[in-house]
């Protein structure tokens, strides 16, 4: 079928604006809301690439800058409508931020703020410490992690980190309001984004034991069926401590201190106290304490093969907020990070992976953000900045190899490919702060375009945004409540692994960009998570 793929949400006036056609049309035009032709142009033939399988033609309409609604017309084929204007991403940002509110666990959602998505209190019972004969623990609160009702320390810490680093780099995020309950602080009221993040921080504090260590997760023993959260009455378990969770919490509490202390000194000081306590436990327990699910349990495991990236992040974050040199020295002790740092050019590809990864499975990139914010003139600071710039250059090169200008390769279409994209856009966003370049901005723009509809599925991967936004996330409360998904959720996206039964109905030779089905059963393609939304907040904050 002949189609015109375009960002279905919108474009900033001065941004590069491109649509992609999968058919041969020499000419195209831009039509405004009145049906008037306001721009005419010729397409450029790119050709076929391996990630989309499409023979692509590019329609560049960057000269369109006046505010308004438009669509692309080529022959008798029309695109979805889109907006051009300074506030093209305003409502999108509000909805992406508010998703965290809808995922709150504990005391329920208020109809005043949640509307038809409200629910009664859930998961308020104390949690049994699995395998230990100790009293049950109150760990009520926080955010449901994903389409399930589990709550996970490492995943939660990373989502919070994306949001707080966004504030550190782009303070205008503090001005975004998205209709959630207000929270008082010493300086008056917390900005909405800090009020929402505090919900998760308060929960993560409950996950810390008295000795400073942190439980890896709290879940029922097995995933709940597709029921409302308040109907999930199974026993909650706190599963074992890990050095992964403890290091991530040390890092994110230190980071949070740097933001919250400005608004509420006592809360900021409490966060730093908890961060230091977690770090003291890490010092007393230098060997990795990794995590594996209890036998028979099928809730999220969030395993990692090492903890040096986590310890690096913790040391870098504490060095940034305390200035104490011992943390800088500890950061350099984390192997193979120090090996990469010492050997420089020989480890270009390797360091790009280590110092520019912003996901839950490898968090050294988050430590790199603390190093960059510190700007202490150290060799490590210069090295990390260079690693980010080099990775951004690689991503720009990737974008030149396909018709969509997408900075991904075939092997990046894995479970959560949209997060892979958003992590790359974070790299480009930070690189553009370090060394502003039009090529970085254009690659970010193309990535946002892809996410919002300029892809070979012709789908916006954010609910409620775009004429053809996906509608059926793997998400228990909306399915059980027989409701359309609330707006602003990011889908996991195309995944060549096809790990669920319905996904396996796709032909095995399907092009990577087309390995997607919008169906609630497709947990390997269409689940949502807090840490798929949070990097989008970071990237959009860079565009404010």
């Amino acid at each position: 079928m002949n189609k015109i793929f375009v960002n279905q949400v919108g474009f900033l006036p001065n941004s590069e604006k491109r649509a992609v056609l999968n058919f041969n049309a020499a000419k195209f035009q831009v039509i405004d809301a009145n049906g008037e032709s306001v721009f005419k142009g010729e397409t450029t033939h790119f050709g076929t690439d391996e990630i989309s399988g499409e023979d692509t033609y590019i329609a560049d309409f960057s000269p369109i800058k006046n505010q308004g609604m438009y669509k692309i017309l080529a022959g008798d084929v029309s695109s979805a409508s889109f907006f051009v204007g300074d506030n093209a991403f305003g409502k999108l940002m509000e909805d992406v931020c508010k998703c965290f509110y809808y995922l709150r666990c504990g005391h329920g959602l208020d109809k005043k703020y949640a509307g038809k998505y409200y629910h009664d209190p859930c998961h308020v019972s104390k949690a049994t410490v699995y395998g230990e004969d100790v009293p049950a623990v109150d760990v009520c609160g926080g955010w449901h992690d994903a389409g399930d009702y589990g709550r996970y320390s490492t995943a939660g810490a990373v989502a919070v980190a994306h949001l707080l680093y966004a504030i550190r780099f782009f303070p205008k995020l503090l001005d975004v309001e998205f209709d959630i309950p207000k929270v008082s602080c010493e300086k008056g009221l917390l900005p909405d984004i800090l009020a929402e993040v505090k919900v998760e921080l308060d929960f993560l504090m409950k996950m810390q034991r008295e000795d400073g260590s942190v439980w890896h997760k709290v879940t029922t023993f097995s995933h709940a069926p597709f029921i409302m959260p308040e109907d999930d009455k199974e026993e909650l378990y706190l599963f074992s401590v890990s050095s992964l969770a403890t290091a991530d919490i040390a890092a994110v509490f230190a980071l949070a201190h740097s933001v919250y202390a400005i608004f509420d000194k006592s809360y900021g000081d409490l966060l730093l106290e908890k961060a230091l306590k977690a770090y003291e436990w890490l010092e007393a327990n230098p060997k990795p304490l990794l995590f594996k699910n209890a036998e028979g349990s099928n809730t999220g495991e969030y395993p990692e093969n090492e903890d040096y990236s986590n310890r690096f992040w913790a040391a870098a974050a504490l060095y940034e907020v305390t200035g104490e040199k011992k943390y800088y020295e500890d950061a350099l002790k984390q192997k193979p990070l120090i090996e990469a740092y010492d050997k420089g050019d020989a480890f270009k590809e390797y360091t790009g992976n280590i110092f520019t990864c912003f996901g839950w499975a490898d968090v050294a990139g988050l430590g790199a953000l603390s190093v960059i914010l510190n700007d202490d003139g150290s060799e490590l600071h210069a090295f990390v900045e260079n690693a980010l710039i080099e990775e951004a250059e690689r991503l720009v090169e990737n974008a030149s190899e396909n018709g969509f200008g997408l900075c991904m390769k075939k092997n990046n279409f894995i479970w959560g490919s949209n997060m892979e994209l958003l992590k790359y856009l974070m790299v480009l966003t930070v690189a553009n702060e370090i060394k502003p370049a039009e090529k970085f901005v254009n690659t970010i723009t193309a990535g946002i375009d892809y996410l919002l509809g300029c892809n070979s599925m012709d789908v916006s991967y954010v609910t409620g945004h775009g004429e053809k936004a996906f509608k059926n996330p793997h998400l228990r409360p909306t399915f059980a409540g027989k409701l359309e998904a609330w707006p602003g959720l990011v889908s996991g996206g195309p995944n060549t692994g096809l790990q669920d039964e319905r996904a396996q109905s796709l032909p095995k030779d399907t092009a990577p960009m087309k390995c997607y089905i919008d169906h609630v059963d497709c947990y390997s393609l269409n689940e949502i998570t807090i840490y798929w939304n949070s990097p989008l907040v970071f990237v959009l904050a860079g565009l404010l």
Side-chain angles (χ1 to χ4, degrees), residues 480-508:
K482 296 180 171 59
L483 297 168
E484 63 180 344
W486 58 78
L489 290 164
V490 177
S491 168
N495 168 17
T496 58
L498 304 175
Q499 285 94 344
D500 61 76
E501 185 174 352
R502 188 171 292 272
Q504 289 164 11
S505 66
L506 290 170
K508 292 187 183 300

Side-chain angles (χ1 to χ4, degrees), residues 151-155 203-204 207 213-218 238-246 248 289-293 300-304 360:
R151 287 167 290 157
Y152 307 87
S153 295
T154 55
F203 158 70
L204 290 173
M207 294 293 285
S213 63
V214 176
W215 285 294
H216 196 78
K217 67 176 183 176
V218 56
L238 279 161
F239 290 95
S240 62
V241 161
S242 72
S243 57
L244 310 166
T246 306
D248 286 0
L289 184 58
L290 306 181
F291 184 81
K292 186 173 177 57
N293 264 348
E301 189 169 57
Y302 289 102
E304 297 175 53
W360 61 264

